[in-house]
Amino acid sequence: MSGIGMLHLRWRQARWRAAFDVLAVAMPLAIASAVVAWRVAGPTPALLAAIAAMIAIGFAIVPRWRRHDRDWLVARLDADRGDLEDSSALLFADDAALRPMQQLQRARLEQRLRERPVPDLRPAWSLRAIAVATIVALLAVVAALAWPVRNDSVAAGAAMPSSGAQSDAPPRLVARSLHLQPPAYTGIAATTLDALDAKAPAGSRLRWTLRYAPQPTGVDLVFHDGRRIALRREGEDWTADLVLQASMLYRVVPEGQEAASPLHRLDAIPDQAPRVRLLSPEQTLTLLAPNQRDWRLVFEAEDDHGVAADARLLLTRTEGSGENIRFHEHVVVLRGSGSPRQRRFEARVAPSTYGLQRGEDLIARLEVRDNRAPQPQVVRSASAILRWPAEPVLGADGLDGLARQVLPAYFRSQRQIIIDAEALLKERPKLEADEFEKRSDAIGVDQRLLRLRYGQFLGEESEGGAQAPPTADLPTSDLPTNDHADDDEHTDNDGHDHGPAPAAGHDGHGHDPAPADAPAGFGVADDILETFGHTHDIPEAATLLDPETKETLRGALREMWQSELHLRMAAPEQALPYAHRALALIKQVQQAERIYLARVGTQLPPIDETRRMTGRRDGIAGRALPRGPAPAGDDALDAAWQALASADATAPALDALQRWIDANPQRIDDPLSLVARIDEVRTDPACAECRAALRALLWGAMQRPAGVSARRDAAGAVGRRYLERLRPEPAP
């Protein structure tokens, strides 16, 4: 090994000697402190004391390690080696930074180190300090082992006789721990409690570790609903595991000591569903402004254990109106920002991307989910609506009233005929000629039925009606009928649709004649009007359409007639232009025909000022005040509340009260508290404080009777004199 290599080796040995010297002094003291803590407080404090001692030792070693640095080594070499000529620092300098003379001197020093190696540089051991620390540690350990400890510590449990040397004394709980392991999605660390009562998130895994002295033959966990879990014995400990799903009461019962065990409570904290708020826009309904290109949406989601990083934005576009409205669903995945427990989701939606048209709505909802496993909770926000207003109704400006649409819903069925005709044209290459003609004729029949419905609103008669009434110059058997109205319908040269051709001897109205076997109605004006009259000419039966709207609707009928004609001729491609024009005219009728009803306020009858402040009760009948209904189903509560006033005969009332709690858990905010109080009273019926606490809980659970008007208290002597003074004095 070269001289420089030997020098570095001696340096490392000196530094490690300094560190081990500190460790030799402090380690006995650390061990003694851990032993004392274990004897006095148990294993957990002993572990904490050991960790603290090791940290203190580390802080003590660091200064000693840093003290033996390069400067210390250079000073030590210059002091011990005169042949190095106080130039030891050159051995650690950078070659590039040395001048020629310095490089020559460094070569001379390295030659001398090779000829005469560096001796041992390790400092001497602190023997006196090590001896004192060791003696003090031994005395502390001996004192700790001889010191009496509490009966409930683990050391005492270990010193107690084992199960092989059972005594006559009942088993006593000398050590206990409850380990809580919350679900992984909550992000809550596991904890160990030195208690048997706990609160934990729902789904947490619980592990009991109990130690008894003397050891019992068996230990059970008995819950308030009757369930039992037997603990397993592992060496000197009794253990049990349970997944906490709901809040419960339980007691730890060694075999043969069920009555003496106290109740303990486990509260399961349920996972709350996410909460979603709409931040922008502030109103749920927004009208699309002119030249608006995008719609900004901002949502905020909160959850107790975290919201998923991504969410779904559900977009729904409405198309059409009335019975022909359709919905188009779209989904956009958004990425949230912020902390897991409070995330912010923002999106800019372009209405044109989803084909929004005038008169349609774009509805947005945010669907978020939390991190619960295995089944996350999914929540949707309130709907935000973007509406593109329809064209304003002509003639409705400035009317302070309510608009009500007159035309019925089936006025919009013309759109379906167009859809069916277009679908038939697309399927034409796949269909046989007969099938195509049959389906086209069926659509034409639908067009005819719709045209007849519209005709009723113009006072026209139905096609295919009954025969005309018989006359003296025409036999009944020879009367023409309208059964083939399609063949009788005609159109003038001007293209106007005049409906079916009139029957002979009649004006074209199809009315049912009076039956021949019912002569009793003959001559009765109402029956004749109902049989042969024109009810559509009665003002009450007429429509509310104005002349312009009637002309528009009549034009729609003409277009529908042409559409029907071509559909019945198996030419739907020629019928579509007429059907589209009919639909456009029908829309004009829908927008034009509205009834505007003025807002009318409440008109109350005038007050008779002559009866005010007179005290007269003429016309006012006296009545008894109603009695409030008695609450039903609280008999068990009433009986238990009265029985708890004394310590006698409370067992039957408590049994009935327990059954009532099992049947009505929703009536009480905290049913477990009531069950625990019942258990206290059962254990010690003479405990006045326990019975008073249970009565207070029962009083809060009782249903209040409905409020009723109370009768005024009778007036006292002063009140009677006041009322007598109010009476008018008799006239002289």
Side-chain angles (χ1 to χ4, degrees), residues 230-260:
L231 277 76
R232 305 178 303 274
R233 183 170 180 178
E234 298 177 357
E236 297 295 324
D237 298 332
W238 295 85
T239 61
D241 297 280
L242 175 69
V243 177
L244 183 62
Q245 299 294 351
S247 299
M248 61 186 69
L249 296 173
Y250 77 101
R251 51 169 44 97
V252 182
V253 182
E255 187 172 347
Q257 292 187 351
E258 185 168 354

XYZ file of all heavy atoms in Angstrom, residues 230-260:
243
model
N -66.539 -15.930 19.232
C -65.605 -16.571 20.169
C -64.178 -16.130 19.848
O -63.758 -16.144 18.690
C -65.727 -18.085 20.085
N -63.441 -15.711 20.877
C -62.051 -15.320 20.707
C -61.157 -16.554 20.639
O -61.444 -17.583 21.262
C -61.589 -14.411 21.849
C -61.942 -12.922 21.716
C -63.408 -12.680 22.017
C -61.064 -12.059 22.626
N -60.071 -16.430 19.876
C -59.100 -17.515 19.738
C -57.939 -17.260 20.705
O -57.510 -16.118 20.880
C -58.567 -17.577 18.306
C -59.640 -17.689 17.245
C -59.006 -17.689 15.864
N -58.202 -16.494 15.648
C -58.682 -15.335 15.197
N -59.986 -15.218 14.933
N -57.880 -14.310 14.999
N -57.437 -18.342 21.256
C -56.291 -18.202 22.159
C -55.002 -18.402 21.375
O -54.816 -19.410 20.687
C -56.378 -19.215 23.301
C -55.250 -19.050 24.308
C -55.453 -19.858 25.551
N -54.349 -19.662 26.490
C -54.281 -20.228 27.688
N -55.267 -21.023 28.096
N -53.246 -19.991 28.465
N -54.108 -17.412 21.482
C -52.796 -17.454 20.843
C -51.755 -17.216 21.920
O -51.457 -16.067 22.265
C -52.692 -16.411 19.735
C -53.698 -16.613 18.596
C -53.613 -15.533 17.547
O -52.794 -14.590 17.750
O -54.348 -15.606 16.545
N -51.222 -18.286 22.458
C -50.286 -18.166 23.573
C -51.011 -17.700 24.817
O -51.926 -18.364 25.320
N -50.601 -16.559 25.348
C -51.240 -15.988 26.530
C -52.330 -14.982 26.173
O -52.956 -14.418 27.061
C -50.183 -15.287 27.401
C -49.125 -16.216 27.959
C -49.731 -17.218 28.926
O -50.676 -16.845 29.654
O -49.262 -18.371 28.966
N -52.564 -14.728 24.881
C -53.522 -13.714 24.439
C -54.755 -14.369 23.836
O -54.718 -15.501 23.346
C -52.879 -12.780 23.409
C -51.707 -12.009 23.991
O -51.710 -11.771 25.216
O -50.783 -11.652 23.222
N -55.853 -13.587 23.870
C -57.105 -13.963 23.221
C -57.359 -12.936 22.118
O -57.355 -11.731 22.370
C -58.269 -13.974 24.206
C -58.143 -15.025 25.271
C -57.467 -14.920 26.443
C -58.688 -16.338 25.229
N -57.551 -16.084 27.162
C -58.305 -16.987 26.440
C -59.457 -17.042 24.328
C -58.677 -18.282 26.739
C -59.833 -18.350 24.613
C -59.442 -18.953 25.811
N -57.609 -13.396 20.878
C -57.750 -12.497 19.739
C -59.040 -12.809 18.993
O -59.560 -13.933 19.033
C -56.562 -12.617 18.773
O -56.500 -13.951 18.261
C -55.252 -12.282 19.478
N -59.543 -11.778 18.306
C -60.723 -11.913 17.448
C -60.661 -10.821 16.390
O -60.091 -9.746 16.617
C -62.017 -11.808 18.247
N -61.248 -11.103 15.225
C -61.269 -10.162 14.105
C -62.705 -9.931 13.678
O -63.553 -10.841 13.746
C -60.455 -10.698 12.927
C -58.983 -10.865 13.278
O -58.262 -9.864 13.264
O -58.581 -12.008 13.586
N -62.975 -8.689 13.204
C -64.318 -8.328 12.768
C -64.212 -7.151 11.808
O -63.385 -6.248 12.009
C -65.202 -7.947 13.965
C -66.602 -7.433 13.641
C -67.462 -8.562 13.073
C -67.263 -6.837 14.880
N -65.050 -7.172 10.769
C -65.171 -6.037 9.847
C -66.352 -5.189 10.304
O -67.488 -5.668 10.373
C -65.360 -6.518 8.397
C -65.563 -5.322 7.473
C -64.154 -7.339 7.949
N -66.092 -3.939 10.632
C -67.116 -3.045 11.174
C -67.944 -2.480 10.025
O -67.443 -1.706 9.209
C -66.440 -1.909 11.956
C -67.364 -0.908 12.647
C -68.221 -1.591 13.700
C -66.557 0.227 13.269
N -69.226 -2.856 9.986
C -70.134 -2.363 8.956
C -71.167 -1.397 9.505
O -71.637 -0.522 8.772
C -70.856 -3.541 8.283
C -69.932 -4.516 7.579
C -69.229 -3.906 6.380
O -69.542 -2.802 5.955
N -68.256 -4.622 5.835
N -71.554 -1.524 10.759
C -72.557 -0.655 11.368
C -72.214 -0.475 12.837
O -71.484 -1.280 13.435
C -73.964 -1.244 11.205
N -72.737 0.595 13.425
C -72.499 0.862 14.838
C -73.142 -0.232 15.686
O -74.212 -0.763 15.345
C -73.071 2.225 15.217
O -72.448 3.255 14.473
N -72.509 -0.543 16.813
C -73.006 -1.638 17.645
C -72.499 -1.479 19.070
O -71.530 -0.752 19.335
C -72.544 -2.989 17.072
C -71.032 -3.153 17.023
S -70.506 -4.661 16.184
C -70.973 -4.277 14.499
N -73.175 -2.171 19.967
C -72.768 -2.298 21.361
C -72.355 -3.747 21.605
O -72.955 -4.675 21.038
C -73.922 -1.921 22.296
C -74.418 -0.471 22.241
C -75.667 -0.322 23.090
C -73.350 0.493 22.706
N -71.354 -3.933 22.456
C -70.905 -5.288 22.746
C -70.266 -5.309 24.131
O -69.933 -4.273 24.715
C -69.907 -5.765 21.687
C -68.522 -5.190 21.836
C -67.485 -5.925 22.411
C -68.238 -3.889 21.420
C -66.215 -5.394 22.552
C -66.974 -3.345 21.546
C -65.966 -4.106 22.113
O -64.715 -3.579 22.266
N -70.091 -6.499 24.646
C -69.383 -6.714 25.892
C -68.462 -7.917 25.749
O -68.758 -8.855 25.002
C -70.341 -6.915 27.073
C -71.403 -7.949 26.853
C -72.159 -8.295 28.148
N -72.525 -7.157 28.934
C -73.721 -6.558 28.918
N -74.659 -7.028 28.103
N -73.987 -5.542 29.696
N -67.319 -7.842 26.438
C -66.356 -8.945 26.457
C -66.726 -9.848 27.630
O -66.720 -9.403 28.789
C -64.918 -8.426 26.583
C -63.935 -9.588 26.557
C -64.600 -7.441 25.464
N -67.029 -11.085 27.344
C -67.581 -11.991 28.353
C -66.666 -13.199 28.508
O -66.645 -14.084 27.639
C -68.999 -12.436 27.969
C -69.580 -13.345 29.053
C -69.898 -11.236 27.735
N -65.874 -13.254 29.589
C -65.213 -14.530 29.905
C -66.265 -15.563 30.311
O -67.371 -15.207 30.745
C -64.289 -14.180 31.072
C -64.174 -12.696 31.050
C -65.456 -12.179 30.504
N -65.951 -16.780 30.161
C -66.931 -17.829 30.431
C -67.377 -17.780 31.892
O -66.559 -17.805 32.814
C -66.319 -19.198 30.118
C -67.330 -20.333 30.206
C -66.759 -21.642 29.715
O -65.673 -21.611 29.092
O -67.391 -22.685 29.952
N -68.703 -17.633 32.058
C -69.281 -17.608 33.394
C -69.395 -16.226 34.009
O -69.799 -16.116 35.164
N -69.083 -15.133 33.291
C -69.133 -13.791 33.873
C -69.901 -12.817 32.980
O -69.546 -11.660 32.848
C -67.711 -13.247 34.088
C -66.930 -13.970 35.160
C -65.618 -13.284 35.439
O -65.218 -12.380 34.731
N -64.936 -13.724 36.483
N -70.958 -13.257 32.355
C -71.691 -12.407 31.419
C -72.354 -11.230 32.108
O -72.381 -10.126 31.586
C -72.739 -13.245 30.680
C -73.475 -12.476 29.602
C -74.267 -13.400 28.711
O -74.143 -14.629 28.860
O -75.002 -12.876 27.860
N -72.890 -11.406 33.296
C -73.626 -10.325 33.964
C -72.702 -9.210 34.430
O -73.109 -8.061 34.526
C -74.415 -10.881 35.144
N -71.449 -9.521 34.746
C -70.549 -8.518 35.314
C -69.784 -7.732 34.261
O -69.038 -6.824 34.607
C -69.558 -9.197 36.256
